[in-house]
């Protein structure tokens, strides 16, 4: 069953009642915190969210706050026809937050319910290296032609008709570059990259790189290469590169900007978490904008929720200790599918004390 949250386009969205199963419909303009609270313990398949129902929606940080409190894979975002929301920067930030199901076409919504987008469907909207403001403030209205405030070429939109705009479901091109970095010591980036590379290689051409170390020497795989940070840009931009995916073990280098996206690993033991906090007193604030993966984790679903509550960030995926000698792990296919690699489809609590992880700044 599905939910509709509407405002400006409530009349248009009401037509969906004959096409999809609905369990709840609400209409109006809502604060982000009120939306999160209202649906916190409410089960639904998909939510069709009229973006104008989110108070202050033209400030991208409001959508970011919503992404912290709700599972955005279950949200289909109906965009309005404003220049801000349809600017390249705004759409790029939606993709950066993992919001892949957005459209300005009412007719596309029913399709997206059964055929949700993955990253490859919206990759063309992702402006790599953009610096759109995630912390607050509305985006500047794009001008007709010329360059916008972020330095990207822009053209005035000729699409003023909301209902006639096609669904945003493009195809992906080029190489996807994914960086993996340990946040806690020994969180397993090198071995996880090796296992992800093996599993992806069933369906894609994959290159694995590690920066400024030589641990890949021990895997005996010609597509796992140890390189220096200064070589990375030329490898990625090699015109004869025919890899679909490049996985990079970032280690201690400062090369995150060369990656399409980053995965940050945490080994969630008390020892490692407290070491992390003492090393960087602001790490909890930084983690809110990161794609955090718990690796070598013995936590169950209830524990993960406790972790998210204490750390005040979302966990993208929870991976238990794995045998790296095996060729396939369902939990890794689940991660890869969540990342948009649809060819890697997965094949088939006790009470806890408060402050289970003791994440404190002492």
């Amino acid at each position: 069953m599905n939910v509709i949250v509407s405002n400006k386009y409530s009349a248009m969205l009401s037509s969906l009642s004959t096409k999809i199963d609905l369990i709840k419909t609400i209409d109006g303009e809502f604060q982000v915190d009120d939306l999160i609270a209202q649906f916190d313990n409410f089960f639904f398949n998909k939510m069709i969210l009229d973006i104008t129902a989110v108070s202050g929606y033209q400030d991208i940080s409001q959508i970011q706050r919503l992404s912290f409190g709700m599972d955005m894979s279950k949200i289909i975002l109906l965009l309005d026809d404003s220049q801000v929301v349809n600017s390249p920067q705004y759409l790029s930030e939606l993709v950066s937050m993992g919001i892949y199901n957005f459209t300005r076409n009412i007719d596309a919504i029913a399709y997206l319910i059964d055929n949700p987008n993955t990253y490859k469907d919206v990759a063309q909207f992702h402006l790599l290296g953009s610096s759109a403001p995630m912390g607050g403030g509305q985006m500047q209205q794009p001008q007709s032609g010329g360059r916008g405030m972020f330095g990207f070429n822009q053209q005035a939109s000729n699409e003023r008709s909301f209902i006639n705009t096609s669904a945003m479901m493009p195809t992906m091109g080029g190489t996807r570059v994914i960086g993996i970095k340990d946040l806690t010591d020994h969180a397993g980036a090198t071995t996880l990259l090796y296992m992800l590379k093996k599993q992806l290689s069933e369906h894609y051409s994959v290159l694995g790189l590690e920066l400024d170390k030589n641990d890949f020497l021990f895997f005996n795989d010609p597509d796992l290469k140890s390189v220096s940070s200064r070589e990375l840009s030329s490898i990625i931009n090699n015109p004869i590169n025919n890899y679909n995916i490049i996985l990079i073990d970032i280690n201690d280098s400062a090369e995150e900007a060369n990656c399409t996206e980053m995965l940050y690993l945490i080994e969630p033991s008390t020892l490692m978490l407290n070491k992390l906090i003492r090393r960087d007193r602001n790490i909890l604030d930084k983690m809110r904008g990161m794609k955090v993966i718990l690796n070598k984790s013995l936590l169950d679903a209830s524990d993960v929720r406790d972790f998210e509550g204490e750390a005040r960030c979302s966990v993208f995926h929870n991976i238990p200790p794995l045998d790296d000698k095996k060729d396939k792990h369902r939990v890794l296919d689940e991660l890869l599918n969540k990342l948009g690699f649809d060819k890697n489809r997965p094949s088939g609590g006790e009470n806890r004390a408060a402050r289970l992880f003791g994440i404190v700044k002492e």
Side-chain angles (χ1 to χ4, degrees):
M1 302 294 281
N2 305 291
V3 169
I4 291 178
V5 179
S6 61
N7 185 29
K8 179 179 177 181
Y9 300 111
S10 59
M12 293 182 183
L13 288 170
S14 65
S15 65
L16 291 176
S17 61
T18 61
K19 301 178 182 178
I20 64 175
D21 294 326
L22 291 175
I23 191 173
K24 185 173 184 176
T25 300
I26 59 173
D27 185 62
E29 184 176 319
F30 305 91
Q31 298 293 325
V32 168
D33 291 341
D34 293 336
L35 279 175
I36 293 172
Q38 185 166 172
F39 292 97
D40 185 34
N41 295 307
F42 189 89
F43 176 80
F44 58 88
N45 176 36
K46 290 288 191 295
M47 173 187 289
I48 296 92
L49 176 59
D50 176 351
I51 198 169
T52 68
V54 181
S55 181
Y57 66 94
Q58 291 192 334
D59 180 349
I60 193 65
S61 68
Q62 296 303 308
I63 307 301
Q64 183 189 33
R65 288 179 57 218
L66 187 69
S67 73
F68 291 153
M70 301 185 74
D71 181 357
M72 300 310 288
S73 68
K74 299 173 69 175
I75 307 297
I76 298 174
L77 197 59
L78 180 62
L79 306 182
D80 70 352
D81 54 356
S82 68
Q83 289 184 320
V84 170
V85 169
N86 290 276
S87 68
Q89 292 77 30
Y90 198 102
L91 298 179
S92 179
E93 293 298 349
L94 291 181
V95 177
S96 294
M97 285 184 270
I99 302 173
Y100 301 157
N101 295 302
F102 50 86
T103 183
R104 289 202 297 143
N105 185 348
I106 293 287
D107 297 329
I109 291 175
Y111 176 85
L112 288 173
I113 288 176
D114 296 321
N115 304 275
N117 285 338
T118 61
Y119 177 83
K120 71 175 184 179
D121 297 312
V122 294
Q124 78 171 40
F125 297 106
H126 202 187
L127 302 177
L128 304 185
S130 66
S131 55
M134 293 294 291
Q138 292 189 359
M139 290 186 175
Q140 178 174 321
Q141 291 277 359
Q143 303 297 316
S144 176
R147 301 182 73 85
M149 65 180 292
F150 299 99
F152 295 101
N153 288 324
Q154 296 178 354
Q155 295 180 349
S157 174
N158 294 320
E159 297 176 331
R160 292 289 180 263
S161 173
F162 175 83
I163 193 66
N164 292 328
T165 304
S166 61
M168 295 176 176
M169 291 178 284
T171 57
M172 173 183 175
T175 301
R176 189 168 170 188
V177 182
I178 301 176
I180 305 175
K181 188 179 183 72
D182 289 342
L183 284 186
T184 56
D185 295 336
H186 312 297
T190 304
T191 301
L192 179 62
L193 187 153
Y194 167 66
M195 290 189 289
L196 290 175
K197 191 265 178 186
K198 280 201 301 183
Q199 213 142 315
L200 280 166
S201 293
E202 293 184 13
H203 307 289
Y204 304 92
S205 175
V206 187
L207 173 66
L209 302 174
E210 67 167 343
L211 302 184
D212 306 321
K213 288 190 177 182
N214 294 295
D215 293 331
F216 278 179
L217 172 68
F218 304 103
F219 288 125
N220 298 314
D221 185 329
D223 286 320
L224 293 176
K225 302 181 185 298
S226 301
V227 301
S228 67
S229 293
R230 65 178 178 272
E231 296 175 274
L232 181 61
S233 180
S234 61
I235 293 172
I236 292 174
N237 297 306
N238 186 338
I240 62 171
N241 163 34
N242 61 354
Y243 290 101
N244 304 124
I245 305 157
I246 298 177
L247 301 175
I248 304 173
D249 183 356
I250 293 292
N251 287 313
D252 295 323
S253 75
E255 295 296 326
E256 285 103 322
N258 272 313
C259 301
T260 307
E261 61 206 276
M262 287 293 304
L263 308 178
Y264 293 93
L265 305 189
I266 287 178
E267 194 262 275
S269 67
T270 300
L271 174 64
M272 292 303 180
L273 289 170
N274 282 331
K275 279 187 175 182
L276 177 64
I277 296 275
R278 289 175 182 244
R279 187 167 62 242
D280 185 348
R281 312 294 282 186
N282 298 314
I283 189 61
L284 296 183
D285 293 327
K286 295 175 183 176
M287 281 166 51
R288 294 176 197 170
M290 295 177 176
K291 194 167 285 184
V292 173
I293 293 176
L294 304 184
N295 195 38
K296 300 191 290 186
S297 166
L298 297 174
L299 308 186
D300 60 22
S302 176
D303 296 334
V304 171
R305 287 193 295 271
D306 288 340
F307 177 93
E308 291 178 318
E310 290 187 31
R312 300 187 300 280
C313 78
S314 296
V315 171
F316 188 73
H317 206 61
N318 183 40
I319 302 175
L322 300 175
D323 182 355
D324 62 5
K325 293 183 289 297
K326 291 185 177 180
D327 290 331
K328 196 172 183 65
H329 295 276
R330 178 185 172 86
V331 68
L332 296 186
D333 269 341
E334 292 171 349
L335 168 61
L336 293 170
N337 200 239
K338 192 181 292 187
L339 287 168
F341 298 106
D342 54 352
K343 294 179 183 178
N344 285 82
R345 296 185 186 278
S347 53
E350 61 187 292
N351 294 329
R352 301 288 178 181
R355 303 201 60 78
L356 174 66
F357 299 95
I359 300 177
V360 293
K361 298 181 179 180
E362 295 177 351

